[in-house]
Amino acid sequence: MRIILALVISLAGGIQVVADERRPDAAQWVEDLGDDDYQVRETATHHLRDTGLAALSVLVAAMDDEDPEVRTRAFGLLVRLYCEGDYTSHYAAQKELKKLATSQHVLAERARTALQEEHVLTWILRNGGLCELDPEAAEISIATVKL
């Protein structure tokens, strides 16, 4: 009986390892944020959003990417985590936004705006709105609010 149980546990563990090896990780999704295919970029954005706080470190690193699309999408996901995340996510994202806001980073002005306008952004995002981030503009512009 012990041998059968060990075999079942071993097989189940092997199946899990195979599943994990095939699943793209957050670093791969960040790379996909800069893909030429719009659908690949959108899929990566959704995966990173769903990953939540676990993706924070790769999102912060992605904001230094040379590709403006990657930087912009990563920043947008950080703001979303700040506005929509649970208590832990909110404060972890806030800490990163504050660091960014006090730096000389190209996204510093946007980080300051996000921190100042948190209540407005939170209301918009929680009510089905979208924040559109123009890579060339310092401010966050609201694209759509659906109620």
Side-chain angles (χ1 to χ4, degrees):
M1 181 68 164
R2 286 184 185 170
I3 294 174
I4 294 173
L5 182 58
L7 182 59
V8 169
I9 291 171
S10 175
L11 288 174
I15 291 169
Q16 183 63 38
V17 170
V18 169
D20 285 347
E21 288 174 359
R22 295 176 136 185
R23 196 185 103 229
D25 62 359
Q28 178 61 53
W29 290 326
V30 165
E31 187 177 315
D32 289 348
L33 292 177
D35 196 274
D36 290 338
D37 184 342
Y38 173 78
Q39 193 56 48
V40 171
R41 294 192 308 269
E42 283 295 297
T43 299
T45 300
H46 290 289
H47 282 302
L48 286 164
R49 184 192 66 222
D50 294 344
T51 301
L53 185 58
L56 182 64
S57 63
V58 293
L59 292 175
V60 170
M63 288 187 291
D64 288 328
D65 196 280
E66 60 188 43
D67 184 342
E69 181 77 18
V70 173
R71 285 194 310 264
T72 300
R73 285 178 179 264
F75 179 76
L77 287 162
L78 180 63
V79 169
R80 185 173 284 276
L81 189 61
Y82 172 60
C83 294
E84 293 185 329
D86 60 18
Y87 181 83
T88 305
S89 300
H90 170 81
Y91 284 103
Q94 182 184 50
K95 180 180 174 184
E96 294 302 329
L97 284 169
K98 284 182 177 180
K99 280 194 247 180
L100 191 60
T102 58
S103 72
Q104 297 299 315
H105 196 281
V106 67
L107 295 169
E109 183 62 33
R110 288 188 193 178
R112 287 190 288 276
T113 301
L115 290 166
Q116 292 168 354
E117 302 298 333
E118 173 201 358
H119 59 285
V120 174
L121 293 172
T122 301
W123 183 88
I124 291 168
L125 291 169
R126 287 188 178 159
N127 286 286
L130 302 171
C131 291
E132 183 177 277
L133 303 172
D134 178 357
E136 303 300 320
E139 72 279 348
I140 298 171
S141 60
I142 306 307
T144 313
V145 178
K146 300 180 287 187
L147 298 178

